Amino acid sequence: MYQAHKQRLSLLSPYQKDTFVALLIMVITAAAQLTLPEIANYYIDGHAPTTLLDPFHLWIMAFIMIFALLSALRFYLFESLGIKVITRFRTSLHKALLNKPSSYFDEINAAELTSRINADTHMLKDVLTTSAALFLRSALIVCGCIIMMLSISYLLSAVLLLLIPIFVYATKLLTNKIESLAEYEQDALAKTNKVAFDNLNCHTLIKLYNWFDSSQHRYEGANKTYMSYAYKTIYSISTFQGFFNLLIYSCLISMLILGSHQIAKGQLSIGELTSFVLYLGMAFTSLNTLSGFWAEWCQSIGATKYLFELESMQPRNASAQPRIISIEDIQFKDVSFAYPNKAQQTVLFELNCKIKKGQKNVIAGPSGSGKSTIAKLLLGYYSPTSGKILVGDNVLDEQGFINLRQQTAYVEQEPLFMSLSILDNLLPEAMGTPSEQQMQKVVQACKQANAHDFIMTLPDGYNTHMGDRGNLLSGGQKQRLAIARALLKEPEMVILDEFTSALDAANRQGIEDALNNLLKNKTVLVISHQQSHIEHADNLITL
């Protein structure tokens, strides 16, 4: 438990100066707030000046204005700190995810994961900064109120101090209950987003097979599960709040009874009792804030446990500059492989083959024989279960795969594109504002890929948005853009994975014509079952 608290608080360490300034302002406002009951006591007992425009009254008004301004500044500082902290944490999470192996993404749902990141980090932001600031401020006020109340009346203060152990015990019970419920609640919420994503992503399938009722039932079921955990969490917190309010008002009535008795005996003035009650109200309000924060904090620990586990397991940085090696003959030596989520199903068994440098290498075989799996192993998306892959005489390790990927272009049957413009998909490093030289390279690559003409017929040309996964373009158009993207990379090796199998004859010929510019003087790996590709192979690998 201690480690979980320390882990979350460590997010503030890069912003120590910002945190110190915000805490300093918070201490000043807390101290200022503690003087307000004393000011009330001063006026009620008739010690204040009698003239309306006395400088004392003006000083009090100035004090109140400064207090209000500092309170606003405190809120702004903590909110801005929260934005900085969580933005940095989200960036770190995103980096960790980008460097995850492909096997990780086979086992998770992207919609569920992004939902967890957005919802859980937002919760953490509020708890770690704004709520934490209120917690510290409330703790200072409680301590200050106790000291001030003791200075007014030991008898009244003793009654209050008897209630503190009860409050601490109840808070401990709440902590244990909420932390476990929060993790289940966030998991259930992420599941509802997953179901919604699946339903919306497959809306055409639902319409085709009339799956409206079953799809809606799945979503309603996921929501019911979430609601059951959410209700349990709310029930635990509300039960504690009810018990806490019982303590507050029982104590307040007891204070008034004892206080009026002391006033009757001349042991306490009306102003002092008023001041004491104000301090008592401040103390209880602050205690309520403390309990509320602790419930939120424990809830956030359960909810964000998954994210911290994810962020702490960062693999080697795949964007690091690799050592440059030239591509030689590539050899698969006794390579066996099974996908991690299907460990009992062997896809490749003791494969031995050679991809020859500068030649057109074709991998042929029936569907399911592992043709595309070879490409995934070659690019380092997965690691062989046994055996090794060599470039020349060098066994490919993690750094070797990084280097190989940076010298390889991959054109697949259904090219992947981001929901960006054509230009941003071809040249993401330009961030939408390419230099004149960069734009010339993009246009040249598109002309070589026979893509420039159709791009210029689009409403916004190269700035045309491609839609989700490029779905606003046809299959042939996406293939041409994939070839243009490969040309821009200027690779030493090109992998073509069933790149024309989904196209008609006219489109297929246009794509193959465009590829002539890409494949000159390159090591080529073609994955295909088409006879025309097999016949023109320099090196045929049959599975």
Side-chain angles (χ1 to χ4, degrees):
M1 190 67 175
Y2 169 76
Q3 186 62 32
H5 297 316
K6 182 180 178 182
Q7 193 176 39
R8 282 146 185 79
L9 291 173
S10 67
L11 295 177
L12 294 169
S13 58
Y15 305 100
Q16 294 180 9
K17 183 178 179 180
D18 299 53
T19 305
F20 174 77
V21 173
L23 288 174
L24 179 62
I25 299 297
M26 183 200 67
V27 170
I28 293 172
T29 55
Q33 188 172 345
L34 287 170
T35 65
L36 297 178
E38 281 300 309
I39 294 173
N41 179 16
Y42 191 75
Y43 277 99
I44 290 172
D45 280 345
H47 301 304
T50 55
T51 55
L52 291 176
L53 298 178
D54 189 272
F56 177 81
H57 303 314
L58 299 177
W59 279 111
I60 293 295
M61 291 303 299
F63 170 79
I64 297 299
M65 290 176 63
I66 293 172
F67 170 71
L69 288 171
L70 288 176
S71 297
L73 178 60
R74 182 202 70 226
F75 178 82
Y76 172 79
L77 290 174
F78 276 104
E79 278 293 315
S80 60
L81 177 61
I83 292 170
K84 290 178 183 178
V85 168
I86 294 308
T87 300
R88 188 174 187 273
F89 184 51
R90 282 177 176 165
T91 303
S92 178
L93 281 172
H94 185 262
K95 182 179 180 181
L97 285 169
L98 285 181
N99 287 313
K100 289 287 184 185
S102 295
S103 56
Y104 173 81
F105 294 97
D106 291 341
E107 299 169 2
I108 60 102
N109 181 279
E112 182 179 353
L113 183 61
T114 52
S115 169
R116 289 293 302 268
I117 290 175
N118 289 328
D120 296 353
T121 54
H122 185 74
M123 174 190 289
L124 186 61
K125 166 190 169 291
D126 292 339
V127 173
L128 194 59
T129 53
T130 305
S131 296
L134 290 175
F135 169 81
L136 294 173
R137 175 172 162 269
S138 298
L140 289 173
I141 289 175
V142 168
C143 293
C145 286
I146 291 173
I147 293 171
M148 297 304 292
M149 285 188 289
L150 284 170
S151 68
I152 294 172
S153 172
Y154 284 108
L155 177 62
L156 297 180
S157 301
V159 177
L160 174 64
L161 294 175
L162 288 174
L163 298 176
I164 292 179
I166 301 174
F167 172 78
V168 172
Y169 179 72
T171 302
K172 185 177 180 181
L173 290 178
L174 180 70
T175 298
N176 296 333
K177 185 73 173 175
I178 287 182
E179 185 179 344
S180 60
L181 286 173
E183 188 169 0
Y184 291 127
E185 182 184 339
Q186 290 303 110
D187 284 340
L189 179 61
K191 294 292 183 186
T192 64
N193 287 302
K194 173 188 174 183
V195 173
F197 178 83
D198 287 342
N199 287 345
L200 297 176
N201 199 39
C202 300
H203 68 96
T204 54
L205 197 63
I206 292 170
K207 292 181 176 69
L208 178 63
Y209 289 98
N210 195 27
W211 288 345
F212 293 99
D213 290 341
S214 61
S215 301
Q216 184 66 18
H217 181 71
R218 284 178 63 232
Y219 186 67
E220 289 174 357
N223 268 301
K224 285 179 181 177
T225 303
Y226 161 71
M227 287 173 64
S228 67
Y229 287 118
Y231 282 145
K232 289 177 182 178
T233 304
I234 293 170
Y235 176 78
S236 299
I237 296 175
S238 59
T239 300
F240 179 81
Q241 289 292 338
F243 175 74
F244 184 73
N245 285 330
L246 176 64
L247 284 180
I248 288 178
Y249 292 111
S250 298
C251 187
L252 180 60
I253 295 299
S254 300
M255 296 298 111
L256 291 174
I257 293 171
L258 289 172
S260 61
H261 179 69
Q262 286 190 302
I263 289 173
K265 295 177 67 175
Q267 296 174 350
L268 201 68
S269 71
I270 296 175
E272 287 174 329
L273 178 59
T274 303
S275 180
F276 188 93
V277 170
L278 288 173
Y279 279 122
L280 180 65
M282 287 171 58
F284 274 134
T285 301
S286 297
L287 282 172
N288 194 29
T289 301
L290 292 177
S291 65
F293 166 78
W294 193 247
E296 287 182 51
W297 180 258
C298 294
Q299 192 175 6
S300 75
I301 288 178
T304 58
K305 180 182 177 182
Y306 171 73
L307 296 184
F308 278 92
E309 290 174 351
L310 181 65
E311 196 263 348
S312 64
M313 296 186 293
Q314 289 202 34
R316 188 188 187 116
N317 184 4
S319 63
Q321 287 297 321
R323 61 182 187 277
I324 302 300
I325 58 172
S326 60
I327 291 183
E328 304 292 337
D329 288 351
I330 300 172
Q331 183 178 357
F332 282 67
K333 191 172 183 181
D334 296 324
V335 171
S336 296
F337 177 74
Y339 285 97
N341 58 344
K342 298 178 182 177
Q344 305 303 320
Q345 185 178 340
T346 301
V347 180
L348 298 173
F349 180 71
E350 295 184 355
L351 173 68
N352 288 281
C353 66
K354 182 177 286 188
I355 299 169
K356 297 181 179 180
K357 177 183 178 181
Q359 294 189 14
K360 183 179 181 180
N361 304 269
V362 176
I363 301 177
S367 296
S369 60
K371 301 188 298 295
S372 295
T373 299
I374 292 177
K376 293 174 182 177
L377 292 174
L378 182 58
L379 293 171
Y381 295 160
Y382 298 92
S383 298
T385 307
S386 62
K388 51 190 176 182
I389 304 173
L390 299 90
V391 174
D393 296 325
N394 300 312
V395 176
L396 282 176
D397 55 9
E398 182 181 0
Q399 188 64 39
F401 282 118
I402 293 172
N403 178 76
L404 189 63
R405 284 197 295 268
Q406 293 201 356
Q407 299 180 73
T408 303
Y410 186 33
V411 180
E412 62 267 57
Q413 179 179 348
E414 185 62 34
L416 284 174
F417 291 98
M418 295 183 182
S419 183
L420 300 169
S421 68
I422 292 174
L423 177 60
D424 286 333
N425 268 286
L426 294 177
L427 201 68
E429 62 268 26
M431 303 296 288
T433 55
S435 65
E436 184 177 347
Q437 184 179 7
Q438 286 176 319
M439 196 63 209
Q440 287 175 354
K441 286 185 176 180
V442 170
V443 172
Q444 182 183 1
C446 289
K447 285 181 177 179
Q448 290 177 326
N450 294 332
H452 178 74
D453 290 343
F454 90 76
I455 292 174
M456 297 312 295
T457 65
L458 298 174
D460 297 314
Y462 282 87
N463 292 315
T464 300
H465 199 277
M466 295 182 64
D468 184 33
R469 301 172 69 88
N471 287 336
L472 295 181
L473 301 181
S474 69
Q477 289 172 332
K478 287 193 287 186
Q479 286 287 12
R480 287 179 170 85
L481 289 176
I483 294 169
R485 183 167 59 186
L487 283 164
L488 284 166
K489 191 173 185 180
E490 299 178 355
E492 288 190 32
M493 182 170 69
V494 180
I495 300 175
L496 306 173
D497 189 353
E498 300 286 5
F499 63 104
T500 61
S501 61
L503 301 177
D504 56 35
N507 264 314
R508 186 181 299 122
Q509 187 59 50
I511 295 298
E512 292 189 350
D513 289 344
L515 278 170
N516 291 332
N517 293 309
L518 176 60
L519 302 183
K520 290 177 181 177
N521 304 316
K522 301 287 192 299
T523 299
V524 181
L525 178 62
V526 179
I527 298 169
S528 178
H529 59 270
Q530 293 185 24
Q531 192 62 34
S532 59
H533 294 150
I534 295 172
E535 290 174 352
H536 293 89
D538 298 320
N539 176 39
L540 179 62
I541 301 168
T542 305
L543 299 181

